[in-house]
Amino acid sequence: MSLSSALSTAVSGLSAQSIALSAISENIANASTTAYKTTEVSFQSLVSGAMGTNTSTSSVVAKTNQALNVTGAISSTSVATNIAIDGSGYFVVAANAGDSGSDLVYSRNGSFSTDANGYLVNSEGYYLMGYPTDSDGAVLASNTSDLTSLSAINLDSISGTAKATSTVSMAANLPADATTGQSFDTSMEVIDSLGVSHTVGQTWTKTGDNTWSLSLSDPTLTKDSATTSGTISPSTVTVTFNSDGSLATTDPSPVNISITGLSTGAADSAIVLDLGSTGGTDGLTQYASTSSTLSISPTFEQDGANYGELSGISIDESGLVTANFDNGVSLAIYQIPVATFSNPNGLTHVSGTVYDENTAAGQVHLNLPGEGNAGSLVASALEGSTTDTATEFNKMIIAQQAYSAASQVISATSDMFDTLIQAVR
């Protein structure tokens, strides 16, 4: 090898070790970066000329790569919108809220929080994509394998909600010592689909031994009891009891009530009036009154709710995003998918912890969390960096020694050139 070849080889060594030191510096700087994948450097000998001859020269080439299939440790956080993937999948994210299809990219950085416009955005400014769902969590898109079915998750689209009453459970004791024909008045509250409260009057009349008739009056607005707000059907229910005071039968059974023509403009209400189980004492009973004044003092539980503001969201391990309201109502709004690739190490690095698909990575597959090798989601958690600082310091020492040795070769080659020039003189 000539002196010029030795000089060239030493320079390539300096360049290669500079790349190694740069990668080490990047790794150490990102030791605390969410979902960062350690950059590794591989060295490859580059030989030109015929092997084994005096004309062959050699140099070294450094190449960097990231082991994207290696996962970092998952740690808990106090932020409900932070998510980690316990598996090999990726979040589908977008640089802009309106991006879709081929514009979408992929990341494991789950440090999502709500921005000023209500979107879930991670620390790198990328929008989390998901499938819109109905209130029961069923995905509305017909094709869940198509990237165009995804949209940026926006919480501002769900500012508040109300819930219509669908079930009213009633518990009360009807006085067994009441005389036939004696009546008692009670009332129950129901909520319509717009969150408006209505009052339905009840009149309990003893019609015979162990037999009562319940008359239901048309509802009125709770805030204005003089205004009838709809029509109820059926308006009469027959209730019988066993000789031990437990509920025997109701007619109709079950007691399905409909309220139509609501003056508030709400949808018609369909309500199940649960008076207790047959043969049980968990609802209506008939025992003698403990008071000298006969009365009925019912307790009600109904599942309707007045209008409530959004108070927060929760994300479960299946990727279901649920909006929670201050009226106690919870509604599913989005389903987060997980993207997988046959060769994740082939993904194209875009920036930070964001990658894009290509032919080397294979076709993207969208799965629900827990399906296949997609992995499950861990709420209120983040994936840590895969960088180990002790390993990086060890690699730094090796790179520094190699760099120093290559510089010594350059110094020695320079001295030999000086000697050669002096000999010529």
Side-chain angles (χ1 to χ4, degrees):
M1 180 184 292
S2 65
L3 290 179
S4 59
S5 297
L7 184 62
S8 176
T9 300
V11 169
S12 73
L14 290 176
S15 177
Q17 296 305 326
S18 295
I19 293 174
L21 285 169
S22 176
I24 293 168
S25 175
E26 178 184 345
N27 292 337
I28 293 175
N30 287 282
S32 299
T33 299
T34 300
Y36 174 78
K37 305 303 179 184
T38 301
T39 299
E40 302 289 350
V41 180
S42 59
F43 298 91
Q44 178 181 349
S45 176
L46 181 64
V47 180
S48 62
M51 292 293 294
T53 70
N54 292 331
T55 60
S56 65
T57 60
S58 179
S59 61
V60 65
V61 176
K63 295 182 178 180
T64 61
N65 61 83
Q66 290 179 295
L68 301 183
N69 59 337
V70 178
T71 59
I74 295 176
S75 57
S76 299
T77 72
S78 59
V79 182
T81 51
N82 285 171
I83 327 167
I85 299 177
D86 186 9
S88 59
Y90 289 79
F91 298 111
V92 183
V93 296
N96 303 291
D99 289 350
S100 65
S102 60
D103 294 328
L104 302 180
V105 287
Y106 309 92
S107 176
R108 289 179 63 90
N109 181 354
S111 58
F112 297 105
S113 59
T114 308
D115 70 0
N117 297 315
Y119 290 100
L120 285 183
V121 181
N122 68 13
S123 57
E124 295 175 281
Y126 282 82
Y127 296 83
L128 177 62
M129 307 299 286
Y131 300 113
T133 69
D134 62 19
S135 59
D136 295 323
V139 175
L140 298 177
S142 58
N143 185 3
T144 57
S145 62
D146 187 359
L147 289 172
T148 59
S149 300
L150 298 173
S151 60
I153 296 177
N154 186 359
L155 304 183
D156 275 1
S157 60
I158 308 292
S159 58
T161 191
K163 182 182 180 183
T165 300
S166 62
T167 301
V168 178
S169 297
M170 178 179 179
N173 180 61
L174 307 187
D177 44 350
T179 60
T180 299
Q182 193 168 0
S183 297
F184 304 89
D185 292 328
T186 58
S187 63
M188 64 181 183
E189 180 192 28
V190 296
I191 308 295
D192 68 22
S193 60
L194 298 180
V196 179
S197 174
H198 304 261
T199 299
V200 175
Q202 299 175 320
T203 300
W204 297 87
T205 303
K206 188 171 183 179
T207 57
D209 292 342
N210 300 328
T211 304
W212 292 76
S213 175
L214 167 62
S215 295
L216 299 172
S217 64
D218 288 336
T220 59
L221 295 175
T222 300
K223 291 184 177 181
D224 181 9
S225 59
T227 303
T228 301
S229 54
T231 303
I232 196 166
S233 177
S235 59
T236 303
V237 179
T238 300
V239 180
T240 62
F241 293 91
N242 297 312
S243 58
D244 62 356
S246 62
L247 180 64
T249 62
T250 63
D251 182 19
S253 179
V255 183
N256 293 322
I257 299 171
S258 65
I259 300 177
T260 59
L262 287 166
S263 60
T264 59
D268 293 344
S269 293
I271 303 170
V272 176
L273 178 58
D274 182 6
L275 300 178
S277 56
T278 300
T281 58
D282 54 337
L284 295 183
T285 59
Q286 182 190 238
Y287 297 107
S289 176
T290 58
S291 173
S292 58
T293 303
L294 301 184
S295 63
I296 298 176
S297 301
T299 59
F300 296 96
E301 290 185 7
Q302 60 94 22
D303 59 356
N306 299 108
Y307 177 80
E309 299 283 351
L310 181 67
S311 60
I313 69 165
S314 59
I315 302 172
D316 63 19
E317 64 180 10
S318 68
L320 193 64
V321 181
T322 302
N324 302 311
F325 301 88
D326 57 14
N327 59 1
V329 176
S330 296
L331 298 176
I333 52 176
Y334 285 95
Q335 171 68 59
I336 301 172
V338 176
T340 59
F341 301 87
S342 56
N343 177 31
N345 287 329
L347 290 169
T348 300
H349 186 204
V350 177
S351 66
T353 63
V354 179
Y355 304 88
D356 200 358
E357 61 180 304
N358 56 33
T359 54
Q363 181 68 33
V364 58
H365 297 282
L366 295 181
N367 305 276
L368 296 182
E371 293 182 353
N373 64 343
S376 60
L377 299 188
V378 182
S380 298
L382 291 175
E383 178 185 355
S385 170
T386 58
T387 296
D388 177 63
T389 53
T391 300
E392 297 304 313
F393 282 126
N394 182 60
K395 291 190 292 186
M396 184 189 300
I397 293 172
I398 296 173
Q400 187 272 332
Q401 290 176 337
Y403 190 94
S404 296
S407 66
Q408 289 299 318
V409 172
I410 293 176
S411 297
T413 303
S414 176
D415 291 342
M416 293 174 71
F417 268 119
D418 290 342
T419 301
L420 180 60
I421 292 172
Q422 289 175 2
V424 172
R425 291 175 180 173

Coordinates of all heavy atoms in Angstrom, one line a residue, residues 97-174:
A97 N -54.1 17.5 10.5 CA -55.3 16.9 11.0 C -56.1 16.4 9.8 O -56.9 15.4 9.9 CB -56.2 17.9 11.8
G98 N -56.0 17.0 8.6 CA -56.8 16.5 7.5 C -56.1 15.5 6.6 O -56.7 15.1 5.6
D99 N -54.9 15.0 7.0 CA -54.2 14.0 6.2 C -54.9 12.7 6.2 O -55.6 12.3 7.2 CB -52.8 13.8 6.7 CG -51.9 15.0 6.4 OD1 -52.3 15.9 5.6 OD2 -50.8 15.1 6.9
S100 N -54.8 11.9 5.1 CA -55.4 10.6 5.0 C -54.6 9.8 4.0 O -53.8 10.3 3.3 CB -56.8 10.7 4.6 OG -57.0 11.2 3.3
G101 N -54.9 8.5 4.0 CA -54.3 7.6 3.0 C -52.8 7.5 3.1 O -52.2 7.4 4.2
S102 N -52.1 7.8 2.0 CA -50.7 7.7 1.8 C -49.9 8.8 2.6 O -48.7 8.7 2.8 CB -50.2 7.7 0.4 OG -50.7 8.9 -0.2
D103 N -50.6 9.8 3.1 CA -50.0 10.9 3.8 C -49.8 10.5 5.3 O -49.1 11.2 6.0 CB -50.9 12.2 3.8 CG -51.0 12.8 2.4 OD1 -50.0 12.6 1.6 OD2 -52.0 13.3 2.1
L104 N -50.3 9.4 5.7 CA -50.2 9.0 7.1 C -48.9 8.3 7.4 O -48.3 7.7 6.5 CB -51.4 8.0 7.5 CG -52.8 8.6 7.3 CD1 -53.8 7.6 7.7 CD2 -53.0 9.9 8.1
V105 N -48.4 8.5 8.6 CA -47.1 7.9 9.0 C -47.3 7.2 10.3 O -48.4 7.1 10.8 CB -46.0 9.0 9.1 CG1 -45.6 9.5 7.7 CG2 -46.5 10.2 9.9
Y106 N -46.2 6.7 10.9 CA -46.3 5.8 12.0 C -45.3 6.1 13.1 O -44.2 6.5 12.8 CB -46.1 4.3 11.5 CG -47.0 4.0 10.3 CD1 -46.5 4.3 9.0 CD2 -48.3 3.6 10.5 CE1 -47.3 4.0 7.9 CE2 -49.1 3.4 9.4 CZ -48.6 3.6 8.1 OH -49.4 3.4 7.0
S107 N -45.7 5.9 14.3 CA -44.9 6.2 15.5 C -45.3 5.4 16.7 O -46.5 5.0 16.8 CB -45.0 7.7 15.8 OG -44.2 8.1 17.0
R108 N -44.4 5.2 17.6 CA -44.7 4.6 18.9 C -44.7 5.6 20.0 O -44.8 5.3 21.2 CB -43.7 3.5 19.2 CG -43.9 2.3 18.3 CD -42.8 1.2 18.6 NE -43.0 0.6 19.9 CZ -43.7 -0.4 20.3 NH1 -44.4 -1.0 19.4 NH2 -43.8 -0.8 21.5
N109 N -44.5 6.9 19.7 CA -44.5 8.0 20.7 C -46.0 8.2 21.1 O -46.7 8.9 20.3 CB -43.9 9.2 20.1 CG -43.8 10.4 21.1 OD1 -44.4 10.3 22.2 ND2 -43.2 11.4 20.7
G110 N -46.4 7.8 22.2 CA -47.8 7.9 22.7 C -48.0 9.0 23.7 O -48.9 9.0 24.5
S111 N -47.1 10.0 23.6 CA -47.3 11.2 24.6 C -48.3 12.1 24.1 O -48.1 13.3 23.9 CB -45.9 11.9 24.7 OG -45.5 12.4 23.5
F112 N -49.6 11.6 24.0 CA -50.6 12.4 23.4 C -51.3 13.3 24.5 O -51.4 12.9 25.7 CB -51.7 11.6 22.8 CG -51.2 10.8 21.6 CD1 -50.9 9.4 21.7 CD2 -50.9 11.4 20.4 CE1 -50.4 8.7 20.7 CE2 -50.5 10.6 19.3 CZ -50.2 9.3 19.5
S113 N -51.7 14.5 24.1 CA -52.4 15.4 24.9 C -53.3 16.2 24.0 O -53.2 16.3 22.8 CB -51.5 16.3 25.7 OG -50.7 17.1 24.8
T114 N -54.3 16.9 24.6 CA -55.2 17.7 23.8 C -54.7 19.1 23.5 O -54.2 19.8 24.4 CB -56.6 17.9 24.6 OG1 -57.0 16.6 25.0 CG2 -57.6 18.5 23.7
D115 N -54.7 19.4 22.2 CA -54.3 20.7 21.8 C -55.4 21.8 21.9 O -56.5 21.4 22.3 CB -53.6 20.7 20.4 CG -54.7 20.5 19.3 OD1 -55.9 20.4 19.6 OD2 -54.3 20.5 18.1
A116 N -55.2 23.0 21.4 CA -56.1 24.1 21.5 C -57.4 23.8 20.8 O -58.5 24.4 21.1 CB -55.5 25.4 21.1
N117 N -57.3 22.9 19.7 CA -58.5 22.6 18.9 C -59.2 21.3 19.3 O -60.0 20.9 18.6 CB -58.1 22.6 17.4 CG -57.6 24.0 16.9 OD1 -58.2 25.0 17.2 ND2 -56.5 24.0 16.2
G118 N -58.7 20.7 20.4 CA -59.3 19.5 20.8 C -58.8 18.2 20.2 O -59.3 17.1 20.5
Y119 N -57.7 18.3 19.4 CA -57.1 17.1 18.8 C -56.1 16.5 19.8 O -55.5 17.2 20.6 CB -56.4 17.4 17.5 CG -57.3 17.8 16.4 CD1 -57.5 19.1 16.1 CD2 -57.9 16.8 15.6 CE1 -58.4 19.5 15.0 CE2 -58.8 17.2 14.6 CZ -59.0 18.5 14.3 OH -59.8 18.8 13.2
L120 N -56.0 15.1 19.7 CA -54.9 14.4 20.4 C -53.6 14.5 19.6 O -53.5 13.9 18.5 CB -55.3 13.0 20.7 CG -56.4 12.8 21.8 CD1 -56.6 11.3 22.0 CD2 -56.0 13.4 23.1
V121 N -52.6 15.2 20.2 CA -51.4 15.4 19.5 C -50.2 15.0 20.4 O -50.2 15.2 21.6 CB -51.2 16.9 19.1 CG1 -49.9 17.2 18.4 CG2 -52.4 17.4 18.3
N122 N -49.2 14.3 19.8 CA -48.1 13.9 20.7 C -47.0 15.0 20.8 O -47.2 16.1 20.2 CB -47.5 12.5 20.2 CG -46.8 12.6 18.8 OD1 -46.5 13.7 18.3 ND2 -46.5 11.5 18.2
S123 N -46.0 14.7 21.5 CA -44.9 15.7 21.8 C -44.2 16.2 20.5 O -43.6 17.2 20.6 CB -43.9 15.2 22.8 OG -43.3 14.0 22.3
E124 N -44.3 15.4 19.4 CA -43.7 15.8 18.2 C -44.7 16.6 17.2 O -44.3 16.9 16.1 CB -43.1 14.6 17.5 CG -42.0 14.0 18.3 CD -41.5 12.7 17.6 OE1 -42.2 11.6 17.8 OE2 -40.5 12.7 16.9
G125 N -45.9 16.8 17.7 CA -46.9 17.6 16.9 C -47.7 16.7 15.9 O -48.3 17.3 15.1
Y126 N -47.6 15.4 16.1 CA -48.4 14.5 15.2 C -49.7 14.2 15.8 O -49.8 13.9 17.0 CB -47.6 13.3 14.8 CG -46.5 13.5 13.8 CD1 -45.2 14.1 14.2 CD2 -46.7 13.3 12.5 CE1 -44.3 14.3 13.3 CE2 -45.7 13.5 11.5 CZ -44.5 14.1 11.9 OH -43.5 14.3 11.0
Y127 N -50.7 14.1 14.9 CA -52.1 13.9 15.3 C -52.4 12.4 15.3 O -52.1 11.6 14.4 CB -53.1 14.5 14.3 CG -53.0 16.0 14.3 CD1 -52.1 16.7 13.5 CD2 -53.9 16.8 15.0 CE1 -52.0 18.1 13.5 CE2 -53.8 18.2 15.0 CZ -52.9 18.8 14.2 OH -52.8 20.2 14.2
L128 N -53.1 11.9 16.4 CA -53.4 10.5 16.5 C -54.7 10.2 15.7 O -55.7 11.0 15.8 CB -53.7 10.2 18.0 CG -54.1 8.7 18.3 CD1 -53.1 7.7 17.8 CD2 -54.5 8.6 19.7
M129 N -54.6 9.2 14.9 CA -55.7 8.8 14.0 C -56.5 7.6 14.6 O -56.0 6.8 15.3 CB -55.2 8.4 12.6 CG -54.3 9.4 12.0 SD -55.1 11.0 11.7 CE -56.1 10.6 10.3
G130 N -57.8 7.6 14.4 CA -58.7 6.6 14.9 C -59.9 6.4 14.1 O -60.2 7.2 13.2
Y131 N -60.7 5.3 14.3 CA -62.0 5.1 13.7 C -63.1 5.8 14.5 O -63.2 5.5 15.7 CB -62.3 3.7 13.6 CG -61.3 2.8 12.8 CD1 -60.6 1.9 13.4 CD2 -61.2 3.0 11.4 CE1 -59.7 1.1 12.7 CE2 -60.4 2.2 10.7 CZ -59.6 1.2 11.3 OH -58.7 0.5 10.6
P132 N -64.0 6.6 14.0 CA -65.1 7.1 14.7 C -66.0 5.9 15.1 O -66.2 4.9 14.3 CB -65.8 8.0 13.7 CG -64.7 8.5 12.8 CD -63.8 7.3 12.7
T133 N -66.7 5.9 16.2 CA -67.5 4.8 16.7 C -68.9 5.4 17.1 O -69.1 6.6 17.3 CB -66.9 4.1 17.9 OG1 -67.0 4.9 19.0 CG2 -65.5 3.6 17.6
D134 N -69.9 4.4 17.2 CA -71.1 4.8 17.8 C -71.0 4.8 19.4 O -69.9 4.5 19.9 CB -72.3 3.9 17.4 CG -72.1 2.5 17.8 OD1 -71.3 2.2 18.7 OD2 -72.7 1.6 17.2
S135 N -72.0 5.2 20.1 CA -71.9 5.3 21.5 C -71.6 4.0 22.2 O -71.2 3.9 23.4 CB -73.2 5.9 22.1 OG -74.3 5.1 21.8
D136 N -71.9 2.8 21.5 CA -71.6 1.5 22.1 C -70.2 1.0 21.8 O -69.8 -0.1 22.2 CB -72.6 0.5 21.6 CG -74.0 0.8 22.1 OD1 -74.1 1.3 23.3 OD2 -75.0 0.6 21.4
G137 N -69.4 1.8 21.0 CA -68.0 1.5 20.7 C -67.9 0.7 19.4 O -66.8 0.3 19.0
A138 N -69.0 0.5 18.6 CA -68.9 -0.2 17.3 C -68.3 0.8 16.3 O -68.8 1.9 16.1 CB -70.2 -0.7 16.9
V139 N -67.3 0.3 15.5 CA -66.7 1.2 14.5 C -67.7 1.4 13.4 O -68.3 0.5 12.9 CB -65.4 0.5 13.9 CG1 -64.8 1.3 12.8 CG2 -64.4 0.3 15.1
L140 N -67.8 2.7 13.0 CA -68.7 3.1 12.0 C -68.3 2.8 10.6 O -69.1 2.6 9.7 CB -69.0 4.6 12.1 CG -69.7 5.1 13.4 CD1 -69.8 6.6 13.4 CD2 -71.0 4.4 13.6
A141 N -66.9 2.7 10.3 CA -66.4 2.4 9.0 C -66.7 1.0 8.6 O -66.5 0.1 9.4 CB -64.9 2.7 9.0
S142 N -67.0 0.8 7.4 CA -67.3 -0.6 6.9 C -66.0 -1.3 6.6 O -66.0 -2.6 6.6 CB -68.2 -0.5 5.6 OG -67.5 0.3 4.6
N143 N -64.9 -0.6 6.3 CA -63.7 -1.2 5.9 C -62.6 -0.8 6.9 O -62.0 0.3 6.7 CB -63.3 -0.9 4.5 CG -62.0 -1.6 4.0 OD1 -61.5 -2.4 4.8 ND2 -61.6 -1.4 2.8
T144 N -62.3 -1.6 7.9 CA -61.3 -1.2 8.9 C -59.9 -1.5 8.5 O -59.0 -1.2 9.3 CB -61.6 -1.9 10.2 OG1 -61.6 -3.3 10.0 CG2 -63.0 -1.5 10.8
S145 N -59.7 -2.0 7.3 CA -58.3 -2.2 6.8 C -57.8 -1.0 5.9 O -56.7 -1.1 5.4 CB -58.2 -3.5 6.1 OG -59.0 -3.5 4.9
D146 N -58.7 -0.1 5.7 CA -58.4 1.0 4.8 C -58.0 2.3 5.6 O -58.7 2.7 6.5 CB -59.7 1.3 4.0 CG -59.4 2.4 2.9 OD1 -58.2 2.8 2.8 OD2 -60.3 2.7 2.1
L147 N -56.8 2.8 5.2 CA -56.3 4.0 5.9 C -57.2 5.2 5.7 O -57.3 6.1 6.6 CB -54.9 4.4 5.4 CG -53.8 3.4 5.8 CD1 -52.5 3.8 5.0 CD2 -53.5 3.4 7.3
T148 N -58.0 5.3 4.6 CA -58.9 6.4 4.4 C -60.1 6.4 5.4 O -60.8 7.4 5.4 CB -59.4 6.4 3.0 OG1 -60.1 5.2 2.7 CG2 -58.2 6.5 2.0
S149 N -60.3 5.3 6.1 CA -61.4 5.3 7.1 C -61.0 6.0 8.4 O -61.9 6.2 9.2 CB -61.8 3.8 7.4 OG -62.2 3.2 6.2
L150 N -59.7 6.3 8.5 CA -59.3 6.9 9.8 C -59.4 8.5 9.7 O -59.4 9.1 8.6 CB -57.8 6.6 10.0 CG -57.4 5.1 10.2 CD1 -55.9 4.9 10.2 CD2 -58.1 4.6 11.4
S151 N -59.6 9.0 10.9 CA -59.7 10.5 11.0 C -59.0 10.9 12.3 O -58.8 10.1 13.2 CB -61.1 11.0 11.0 OG -61.8 10.5 12.1
A152 N -58.5 12.2 12.3 CA -57.8 12.7 13.5 C -58.8 12.7 14.7 O -59.9 13.2 14.5 CB -57.2 14.0 13.2
I153 N -58.4 12.2 15.8 CA -59.3 12.2 17.0 C -59.4 13.6 17.5 O -58.5 14.2 18.0 CB -58.7 11.2 18.1 CG1 -58.7 9.8 17.5 CG2 -59.5 11.3 19.4 CD1 -58.1 8.8 18.5
N154 N -60.7 14.0 17.5 CA -61.0 15.4 18.0 C -62.0 15.4 19.1 O -63.2 14.9 18.9 CB -61.5 16.2 16.8 CG -61.7 17.7 17.1 OD1 -61.5 18.1 18.3 ND2 -62.1 18.5 16.2
L155 N -61.7 15.8 20.2 CA -62.6 15.8 21.4 C -63.5 17.0 21.4 O -64.6 16.9 22.1 CB -61.8 15.8 22.7 CG -60.7 14.7 22.8 CD1 -60.1 14.7 24.2 CD2 -61.4 13.3 22.6
D156 N -63.2 18.0 20.7 CA -64.1 19.2 20.6 C -65.4 18.9 19.9 O -66.4 19.6 20.0 CB -63.4 20.4 20.0 CG -62.6 21.2 21.0 OD1 -62.5 20.7 22.2 OD2 -62.0 22.2 20.6
S157 N -65.4 17.8 19.1 CA -66.7 17.4 18.4 C -67.7 16.8 19.4 O -68.9 16.7 19.1 CB -66.4 16.4 17.3 OG -65.8 15.2 17.9
I158 N -67.3 16.5 20.6 CA -68.2 16.0 21.7 C -68.1 17.0 22.8 O -67.3 16.8 23.8 CB -67.8 14.6 22.1 CG1 -67.6 13.7 20.9 CG2 -68.8 14.0 23.1 CD1 -68.9 13.4 20.2
S159 N -68.9 18.0 22.8 CA -68.8 19.1 23.9 C -69.7 18.8 25.1 O -69.4 19.2 26.2 CB -69.1 20.4 23.3 OG -70.4 20.4 22.7
G160 N -70.8 18.1 24.8 CA -71.7 17.8 25.9 C -72.8 16.8 25.4 O -72.9 16.5 24.2
T161 N -73.5 16.2 26.4 CA -74.5 15.2 26.0 C -75.5 15.1 27.1 O -75.3 15.5 28.2 CB -73.9 13.8 25.7 OG1 -74.8 13.0 25.1 CG2 -73.4 13.2 27.0
A162 N -76.7 14.5 26.7 CA -77.7 14.1 27.7 C -78.1 12.7 27.4 O -77.8 12.1 26.3 CB -78.9 15.0 27.5
K163 N -78.8 12.0 28.3 CA -79.2 10.6 28.1 C -80.6 10.4 28.4 O -81.0 10.8 29.6 CB -78.3 9.7 28.9 CG -78.6 8.2 28.7 CD -77.7 7.3 29.5 CE -78.1 5.8 29.3 NZ -77.3 4.9 30.1
A164 N -81.4 9.9 27.5 CA -82.8 9.6 27.8 C -82.9 8.4 28.7 O -82.2 7.5 28.7 CB -83.5 9.3 26.5
T165 N -83.9 8.5 29.6 CA -84.2 7.4 30.5 C -84.7 6.2 29.7 O -85.6 6.3 28.9 CB -85.3 7.8 31.5 OG1 -84.9 8.9 32.3 CG2 -85.7 6.7 32.5
S166 N -84.1 5.1 30.0 CA -84.5 3.8 29.4 C -85.0 2.8 30.4 O -85.8 1.9 30.1 CB -83.4 3.2 28.6 OG -82.3 2.8 29.4
T167 N -84.6 3.0 31.7 CA -85.1 2.1 32.7 C -85.3 2.9 34.0 O -84.5 3.7 34.4 CB -84.0 1.0 33.0 OG1 -83.8 0.2 31.8 CG2 -84.5 0.0 34.1
V168 N -86.4 2.6 34.6 CA -86.7 3.1 36.0 C -87.0 2.0 36.9 O -87.9 1.1 36.7 CB -88.0 4.1 36.0 CG1 -88.3 4.6 37.4 CG2 -87.7 5.3 35.0
S169 N -86.2 1.9 37.9 CA -86.4 0.8 38.9 C -87.0 1.4 40.2 O -86.6 2.4 40.7 CB -85.0 0.2 39.3 OG -84.4 -0.4 38.2
M170 N -88.1 0.8 40.6 CA -88.9 1.3 41.7 C -88.9 0.3 42.9 O -89.1 -0.9 42.7 CB -90.3 1.6 41.3 CG -91.2 2.1 42.4 SD -92.9 2.5 41.8 CE -93.6 3.1 43.3
A171 N -88.7 0.8 44.1 CA -88.9 0.0 45.3 C -89.8 0.7 46.2 O -89.6 1.9 46.5 CB -87.5 -0.3 45.9
A172 N -90.8 0.0 46.7 CA -91.8 0.6 47.7 C -92.6 -0.5 48.3 O -92.7 -1.6 47.8 CB -92.7 1.5 46.9
N173 N -93.1 -0.2 49.5 CA -94.0 -1.1 50.2 C -95.4 -0.5 50.1 O -95.7 0.6 50.4 CB -93.6 -1.2 51.7 CG -94.6 -2.2 52.4 OD1 -94.7 -3.3 52.0 ND2 -95.3 -1.7 53.4
L174 N -96.3 -1.3 49.5 CA -97.8 -1.0 49.4 C -98.4 -1.5 50.7 O -98.3 -2.7 51.0 CB -98.4 -1.6 48.2 CG -97.7 -1.3 46.9 CD1 -98.5 -1.8 45.7 CD2 -97.4 0.2 46.7

